Amino acid sequence: GDDAPLPIKESAGFGGKSPYADTKWKMELVQKEMAGEKGLKSTALRFFNVFGPRQDPKSPYSGVISIFMDRANTGRNMSIFGDGKQTRDFIYVKDIARAIVAALTAETKTFDAFNVCRGEETTITQLAHKVVEQFKSSSSIEYAEARDGDIKESVCDPTKLNQVLGFRPKYSVDEGLQLTKQWFQEEAASHKQEL
C-alpha cells in the first residue's frame, strides 16, 4: 500500500490496501505458523506486476501492459487513470518462471518469503510512451480521473531473492515489452487469417 516504505522489503509488516493483498499476507502467516508448529517447509513468492504474452486485455484481472498493447496494436487511445506519475515494478513472465524454478530447487529449511521483481520503478506515463513507440502506434495517451484504491508508488527490493536464491531477472522491461509486442502482433495476424 501507500504506507509501506519504499522499496518494499519482505520484512514490511502489512497486508496491503486490497482484500486480495490482505488474503495473500494472511496465507503467508499460515505458512509461517505451519513451519514453526509442524516443520512444514514452504516458500512464498511475492510477484510484482507480471507481464507477458497471453494476458487477456479484456479480463478484469488484466494488467495495464496488455491493455495498452491491445490499444496500441489497433490504434485506439490509451487511458491513464490519475496523473500518470504512479509507479510500478514490472517483471517479465519468463523471469517469474525462472524465479519459481530457483525457489523449487533451493534447499528450504523452514518458511521464507521473497519479492520477485526488478527493483525498478516505471511510471505509467513512461510505460504508455514505451508501448506507443514499440508499436509505432498512432494511439494517443489520455488522462482520466484516478481510481479509488490505486496505490501511488510500488517498487520492491529484490536483494533477498538475489542473495539467498542467487536469482536476478534476465529480461529488462524494454526486452519484455518487445517480446510481448511480438506475441500481440502474431495473435492479431492469426485472428485475421481465421476470418
Side-chain angles (χ1 to χ4, degrees):
D2 286 324
D3 297 333
L6 298 176
I8 300 168
K9 297 182 182 300
E10 288 84 355
S11 58
F14 66 95
K17 268 177 122 168
S18 71
Y20 172 73
D22 192 52
T23 302
K24 291 193 301 182
W25 174 252
K26 287 178 180 171
M27 182 49 68
E28 285 187 21
L29 295 177
V30 170
Q31 287 177 270
K32 190 174 184 177
E33 184 179 320
M34 290 294 100
E37 289 180 11
K38 308 287 185 188
L40 181 65
K41 300 174 184 177
S42 65
T43 302
L45 298 177
R46 299 176 183 171
F47 302 151
F48 281 67
N49 300 96
V50 181
F51 74 97
R54 295 181 182 78
Q55 273 190 323
D56 180 0
K58 293 163 185 60
S59 167
Y61 304 104
S62 184
V64 66
I65 290 177
S66 63
I67 294 168
F68 282 180
M69 288 203 167
D70 181 56
R71 293 189 161 277
N73 195 37
T74 56
R76 292 177 292 155
N77 294 343
M78 297 164 33
S79 294
I80 295 176
F81 297 98
D83 62 10
K85 295 177 184 174
Q86 55 272 45
T87 62
R88 299 294 180 266
D89 191 338
F90 295 104
I91 184 164
Y92 186 58
V93 68
K94 286 188 177 183
D95 278 328
I96 293 294
R98 292 177 54 248
I100 292 169
V101 170
L104 287 171
T105 57
E107 289 294 323
T108 306
K109 295 179 178 46
T110 184
F111 168 75
D112 214 342
F114 298 95
N115 290 333
V116 184
C117 60
R118 294 193 52 75
E120 298 172 3
E121 289 180 284
T122 302
T123 70
I124 301 304
T125 295
Q126 288 171 330
L127 174 68
H129 285 289
K130 286 175 184 279
V131 171
V132 167
E133 289 167 19
Q134 290 262 347
F135 280 87
K136 298 181 178 21
S137 177
S138 61
S139 297
S140 64
I141 299 167
E142 302 171 339
Y143 293 87
E145 190 172 325
R147 296 183 299 192
D148 287 340
D150 276 355
I151 60 172
K152 185 71 177 159
E153 296 175 293
S154 178
V155 62
C156 81
D157 183 352
T159 302
K160 184 177 174 186
L161 183 69
N162 299 345
Q163 291 176 346
V164 177
L165 298 184
F167 176 84
R168 293 188 192 290
K170 178 179 173 184
Y171 298 89
S172 70
V173 171
D174 288 339
E175 289 167 332
L177 289 174
Q178 178 64 31
L179 292 166
T180 306
K181 179 200 84 162
Q182 289 171 0
W183 179 82
F184 262 89
Q185 290 178 325
E186 289 166 6
E187 279 295 294
S190 70
H191 286 293
K192 283 182 184 175
Q193 289 175 356
E194 289 172 6
L195 299 175

